[in-house]
């Protein structure tokens, strides 16, 4: 319900903002602002290295389009509604899923990940078999689930040695996944996976 409602409000504000931008900036000005913003956002994304690989060109293009349209719509909305438009833009930014997730992490609240398993308590980390279990004893589904569980564990307030231990374990998981199925592993990376994503959709199926 939250996502549907927010999507409707964002769409409504976006249409109003784009119309306002055409009035205040002129069509050519709005297009120029959108292109410059989109190009800058796409370049910045391609320059950022993520844990699970470089962003793809498709991801960069989609990010650029979102930023380009968002900035043009924001400028138009502020021009159209002035202070009220600024309030609407700030409200939409502060209630975005990424900002909400970052706020939850900052204050130690439980973050929800669409495709990640339920988080575990810090006290039980040492009892998790994926930390010590030999990789050769894990079948593909178990290995993929261990990869996802390790991401969830890293979202906890852990001591630095424990974080390093888990990060090293995740590196081992990646090496093992690539060793078992190089083609599936490459296809997974090419799809632009998230750190909590499930490689099981590609490993052993490509």
């Amino acid at each position: 319900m939250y996502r549907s409602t927010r999507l409707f409000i964002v769409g409504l504000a976006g249409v109003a903002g784009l119309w306002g931008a055409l009035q205040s900036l002129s069509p050519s000005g709005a297009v120029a602002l959108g292109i410059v913003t989109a190009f800058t956002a796409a370049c910045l994304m391609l320059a950022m290295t993520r844990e699970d690989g470089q962003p793809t060109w498709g991801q960069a293009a989609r990010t650029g389009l979102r930023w380009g349209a968002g900035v043009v719509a924001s400028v138009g909305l502020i021009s159209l509604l002035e202070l009220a438009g600024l309030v609407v833009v700030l409200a939409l930014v502060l209630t975005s899923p990424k900002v909400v997730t970052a706020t939850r992490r900052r204050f130690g609240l439980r973050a929800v990940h669409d495709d990640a398993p339920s988080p575990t308590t810090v006290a039980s980390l040492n009892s998790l078999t994926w930390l010590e279990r030999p990789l050769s004893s894990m079948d593909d589904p178990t290995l993929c689930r261990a990869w996802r569980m390790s991401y969830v564990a890293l979202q906890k307030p852990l001591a630095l040695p424990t974080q390093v231990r888990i990060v090293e374990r995740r590196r081992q998981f990646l090496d093992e996944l690539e060793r078992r199925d190089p083609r599936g592993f490459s296809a997974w990376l090419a799809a632009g996976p998230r750190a909590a994503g499930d490689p099981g959709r590609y490993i052993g199926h490509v």
Side-chain angles (χ1 to χ4, degrees):
M1 180 62 70
Y2 163 76
R3 291 183 179 179
S4 300
T5 302
R6 188 177 184 282
L7 183 61
F8 173 77
I9 295 174
V10 169
L12 193 62
V15 171
L18 292 175
W19 183 84
L22 292 176
Q23 302 302 311
S24 60
L25 299 176
S26 77
S28 59
V31 171
L33 176 61
I35 290 176
V36 171
T37 304
F39 179 77
T40 302
C43 289
L44 287 174
M45 185 175 185
L46 287 172
M48 294 171 59
T49 301
R50 305 183 313 173
E51 178 186 353
D52 50 4
Q54 283 290 117
T56 64
W57 284 101
Q59 287 178 304
R62 289 191 294 271
T63 297
L65 289 174
R66 284 196 296 268
W67 273 94
V71 169
V72 172
S74 297
V75 170
L77 201 60
I78 294 172
S79 299
L80 188 66
L81 302 178
E82 298 180 346
L83 181 59
L86 178 60
V87 171
V88 171
V89 171
L90 290 176
L92 291 177
V93 171
L94 294 176
T95 57
S96 67
K98 288 188 177 180
V99 173
V100 171
T101 300
T103 302
R104 284 173 171 170
R105 291 178 181 173
R106 173 65 179 81
F107 293 99
L109 300 176
R110 182 179 183 273
V112 178
H113 301 275
D114 291 338
D115 60 353
S118 300
T120 57
T121 62
V122 178
S124 65
L125 281 178
N126 289 332
S127 67
L128 297 178
T129 57
W130 53 263
L131 274 175
E132 301 294 344
R133 182 176 174 181
L135 298 180
S136 59
S137 69
M138 298 183 183
D139 56 19
D140 290 349
T142 301
L143 182 61
C144 292
R145 179 169 176 78
W147 163 258
R148 298 165 64 201
M149 292 176 67
S150 65
Y151 172 83
V152 175
L154 281 176
Q155 307 313 301
K156 295 294 183 179
L158 305 173
L160 181 59
T162 304
Q163 292 179 344
V164 172
R165 180 183 175 192
I166 295 175
V167 169
E168 171 60 21
R169 189 59 167 168
R170 283 173 64 80
R171 184 195 66 76
Q172 295 173 5
F173 290 155
L174 290 177
D175 289 345
E176 180 66 13
L177 288 170
E178 184 177 21
R179 185 193 68 79
R180 292 187 184 188
D181 189 352
R183 290 182 58 191
F185 185 80
S186 297
W188 178 52
L189 293 184
R194 292 185 294 175
D198 183 9
R201 302 171 187 173
Y202 299 88
I203 301 301
H205 300 287
V206 175

